[in-house]
Amino acid sequence: MKRYYQPEIETASPEQMRAWQDERLVKQVRHVWDNVPYYRKKMEEKGVTPDDIKGVDDLHKLPFLTKDDLRECYPYGLLAKPLGDCVRIQSTSGTTGKRVVAFYTQHDVDLWDECCARAITAAGGTNEDVCQVSYGYGLFTGGPGLNGGSHKVGCLTLPMSSGNTDRQIQFMTDLGATILCCTPSYAAYLAETINERGLRDKIKLKAGIFGAEAWSEEMRRDIQKQLGIKAYDIYGLTEITGPGVSFECEEQTGMHVNEDHFIPEIIDPNTGEVLPEGAKGELVFTSITKEAFPLLRYRTRDICVLSRKKCSCGRTLIKMAKPMGRSDDMLIIKGVNVFPSQVEAVLLEQGYQANYQIIVDRVNHSDTMEVQVEMTPENFSDSLAKITEMEKNLVAALKTMLGIYAKVKLVAPKSIARSEGKAVRVIDKRKI
């Protein structure tokens, strides 16, 4: 059975998709020029007018937008529709300084719901399914996005929000949830708790849709094994719409971008030059159907690769790889680029779970890095010699992966605070 929510779009020919994109981009540039003075000024500074944009081939002529622009324009400076036409705001969680606020017309909400419906359908969701949405609701986009998508598909929707693990598991077992939507770190925590309580045979989950934070293939395999499900990745960001910008199919080799709504580019993060397909660089998105808050060439800071390699699922939508870190919040330690996902990969490979924290500091003008790792009940030991040996092995494995020394401190099971939202993986104490 082919799993498409909108087959005529998801399997459209490249020529048809390009025709849609050309037409929508031209219309969107004119819409932004006419209604967003801030962006019109940026275009004028670059010497570009809407007449210069005839289609996707001219996209590179437009200026970039960054999170700094969004903060400078807070709250209404990038709004492209009258407030009377807007029905919703969402906001980023936990950014420093001014929050990013995104606006939606009802049209925008409907299109967002359709994007998330495509993701749920790609994960096998139908109107026979019970979809447990355990992302946060409120200003965070995770809950509202998957909630709307679940309604479109016709699933029985459990709007759980994050937290209250006892209630999560009660509803999951009592109502027979078949699809779980949450952050991967919370999925891992739920799996751990379910197995500890001996409830593994009481759950009916078949699929999980996990996003909002970085997670490795090792973590995916662990969650799939612990819950007996297939785990699908989903990608999005509040600035562009929320989850559903791209989603994974059963092939699990990257996420299909909903490119009838969002045009992706990969650029060199240092020069801004557009890179060819298959090159690794910073992901940039242009919204071509959003009305209230349409961002053109928004720099996501996510590092990834785009590919048009044919997919066995039959979708023709371009794929983006799982982000390989970020161009702005990666750790530079002693001159070496370090991504938390690299540390996680080592830990899972060595038989530990993804419960860890990286603590970075600067002592006597030199960077230090300590990785605190929870022992599992299986490898827990109260023998100092045994623990020292385990720490030494992890230090060596991390040195091989990262190229630098990282101190390892093994701690007792469950001693690192569990996350019911986004996991706090890095504590950077340096004043830099």
Side-chain angles (χ1 to χ4, degrees):
M1 180 185 76
K2 292 293 184 187
R3 298 168 168 177
Y4 311 126
Y5 179 69
Q6 294 168 307
E8 70 285 356
I9 297 171
E10 296 172 61
T11 64
S13 68
E15 295 76 22
Q16 176 63 74
M17 185 60 71
R18 175 53 74 97
W20 285 330
Q21 289 181 335
D22 286 344
E23 178 189 347
R24 292 170 183 180
L25 177 63
V26 169
K27 183 180 174 186
Q28 189 72 292
V29 170
R30 174 63 66 181
H31 173 55
V32 169
W33 174 274
D34 289 343
N35 294 289
V36 185
Y38 182 88
Y39 201 76
R40 181 165 65 247
K41 182 169 179 284
K42 283 186 79 85
M43 287 177 64
E44 287 172 342
E45 286 170 356
K46 207 166 183 236
V48 185
T49 72
D51 293 336
D52 297 317
I53 309 301
K54 313 290 188 193
V56 177
D57 288 340
D58 297 319
L59 188 58
H60 69 277
K61 298 175 183 177
L62 294 169
F64 293 113
L65 279 177
T66 67
K67 193 161 276 191
D68 288 339
D69 292 306
L70 272 61
R71 291 201 183 105
E72 189 176 330
C73 292
Y74 175 90
Y76 294 125
L78 289 171
L79 188 59
K81 294 288 277 188
L83 269 184
D85 292 346
C86 298
V87 300
R88 171 95 64 87
I89 69 153
Q90 304 287 164
S91 179
T92 53
S93 57
T95 53
T96 55
K98 291 177 182 172
R99 298 176 71 89
V100 172
V101 175
F103 298 82
Y104 301 74
T105 63
Q106 187 58 52
H107 167 83
D108 296 336
V109 173
D110 291 341
L111 294 184
W112 181 21
D113 289 349
E114 286 180 0
C115 288
C116 289
R118 293 179 193 177
I120 291 169
T121 306
T126 71
N127 61 358
E128 301 293 320
D129 280 291
V130 178
C131 185
Q132 182 158 335
V133 182
S134 302
Y135 287 108
Y137 279 66
L139 291 171
F140 180 60
T141 56
L146 273 300
N147 191 93
S150 177
H151 282 198
K152 286 275 188 187
V153 174
C155 304
L156 175 64
T157 307
L158 309 186
M160 301 299 298
S161 195
S162 56
N164 201 330
T165 299
D166 289 341
R167 187 174 63 191
Q168 296 276 0
I169 294 172
Q170 181 192 342
F171 272 73
M172 188 183 291
T173 53
D174 291 353
L175 291 166
T178 53
I179 298 172
L180 173 64
C181 306
C182 63
T183 60
S185 59
Y186 193 46
Y189 178 45
L190 282 169
E192 182 181 50
T193 309
I194 286 164
N195 283 299
E196 275 179 1
R197 295 181 185 178
L199 296 172
R200 176 72 167 69
D201 61 343
K202 296 283 193 297
I203 64 168
K204 296 181 179 177
L205 291 178
K206 66 178 184 180
I209 299 175
F210 306 135
E213 62 187 15
W215 55 308
S216 61
E217 287 302 317
E218 290 87 352
M219 189 172 185
R220 186 211 298 266
R221 285 193 290 270
D222 190 54
I223 292 171
Q224 290 187 152
K225 181 181 174 187
Q226 295 294 323
L227 287 176
I229 64 172
K230 192 156 184 173
Y232 296 81
D233 211 345
I234 189 168
Y235 174 89
L237 56 168
T238 303
E239 299 92 323
I240 299 303
T241 197
V245 172
S246 65
F247 62 92
E248 218 167 29
C249 64
E250 63 262 30
E251 197 175 88
Q252 294 177 304
T253 56
M255 291 167 280
H256 290 285
V257 177
N258 284 313
E259 53 180 330
D260 54 322
H261 300 301
F262 317 106
I263 301 175
E265 302 171 271
I266 295 290
I267 65 165
D268 180 316
N270 298 313
T271 67
E273 175 197 359
V274 179
L275 301 177
E277 180 193 328
K280 185 164 87 168
E282 182 183 337
L283 183 62
V284 172
F285 275 116
T286 294
S287 297
I288 53 175
T289 54
K290 279 194 77 174
E291 294 179 336
F293 197 69
L295 300 189
L296 307 184
R297 302 200 83 200
Y298 180 70
R299 295 185 60 163
T300 68
R301 301 295 181 182
D302 283 323
I303 300 296
C304 80
V305 173
L306 295 175
S307 170
R308 287 209 177 272
K309 184 181 173 188
K310 189 174 180 181
C311 185
S312 62
C313 78
R315 287 178 183 80
T316 51
L317 300 170
I318 196 168
K319 270 186 180 175
M320 58 174 275
K322 185 187 282 290
M324 303 158 185
R326 291 176 59 81
S327 64
D328 58 348
D329 70 357
M330 67 183 178
L331 294 162
I332 301 178
I333 301 171
K334 296 182 179 176
V336 176
N337 295 345
V338 174
F339 295 106
S341 56
Q342 295 172 303
V343 173
E344 181 177 293
V346 169
L347 298 183
L348 290 165
E349 197 177 274
Q350 298 288 319
Y352 297 84
Q353 292 175 344
N355 297 316
Y356 67 96
Q357 277 190 330
I358 301 167
I359 299 166
V360 186
D361 208 345
R362 184 160 285 171
V363 179
N364 297 327
H365 308 292
S366 179
D367 290 341
T368 63
M369 176 178 171
E370 179 179 290
V371 184
Q372 295 189 357
V373 185
E374 270 190 11
M375 289 179 276
T376 63
E378 293 75 37
N379 62 23
F380 178 74
S381 174
D382 54 7
S383 159
L384 184 60
K386 175 70 173 169
I387 290 173
T388 302
E389 183 190 351
M390 291 161 65
E391 288 174 341
K392 188 176 173 184
N393 290 339
L394 269 181
V395 166
L398 287 168
K399 179 81 186 295
T400 301
M401 169 67 84
L402 306 175
I404 59 170
Y405 169 80
K407 181 183 177 183
V408 171
K409 182 180 180 182
L410 289 175
V411 298
K414 292 188 175 295
S415 59
I416 292 176
R418 292 298 192 272
S419 170
E420 294 185 336
K422 285 195 180 188
V424 178
R425 298 296 192 204
V426 178
I427 299 172
D428 196 338
K429 297 180 176 179
R430 297 173 297 180
K431 301 289 185 280
I432 54 176

